[in-house]
Amino acid sequence: MRRLTVLYDADCPLCVHLRHWLLRQRQLVPLDLVPAGSQEARRRFPALDHATTLREITVVGDRGQVYRATAAWIVCLWALAEHRPKAHWLATPAGQPFARMAVLAAAKWREALKGPGEGPGADGCGDGRCEVPGPPR
């Protein structure tokens, strides 16, 4: 694998924070971070269910591999120099429960940050016009 594309919810503060965190890490496999549901995401991956990419993190490999939810987080960590050993462990039967719990906790936190009635993509990327936010101040 030579490159990964991470589709993230640009309207989610947690997702944007994690996007910036990923960009600051030393990458063994380059990561392209693209807002989920955006015109760019639809252009690159016309066959994907873009509504689903707004509900859960989705990572696409350079050969068309699609990773969602827990597997997507693990492959993101695998792409990072400092976190590859942890990714290998999280992919094992012993580590998978921890990975699942982390993804579930992030989903709950994300839901709380977005507020009631504000589902993923409800106010931004659904029309394909989302923008990449700047780094946190």
Side-chain angles (χ1 to χ4, degrees), residues 23-38:
L23 290 173
R24 289 191 308 268
Q25 305 305 305
R26 188 165 64 88
Q27 299 173 4
L28 297 174
V29 177
L31 299 174
D32 295 329
L33 290 108
V34 175
S38 67

Side-chain angles (χ1 to χ4, degrees), residues 4-7 32 34 39-50 53 59-62 64-66:
L4 292 167
T5 301
V6 180
L7 301 174
D32 295 329
V34 175
Q39 286 181 331
E40 178 65 12
R42 291 172 194 279
R43 183 189 65 75
R44 287 185 186 202
F45 310 109
L48 271 184
D49 175 357
H50 291 278
T53 68
V59 177
V60 182
D62 55 4
Q65 315 91 310
V66 177

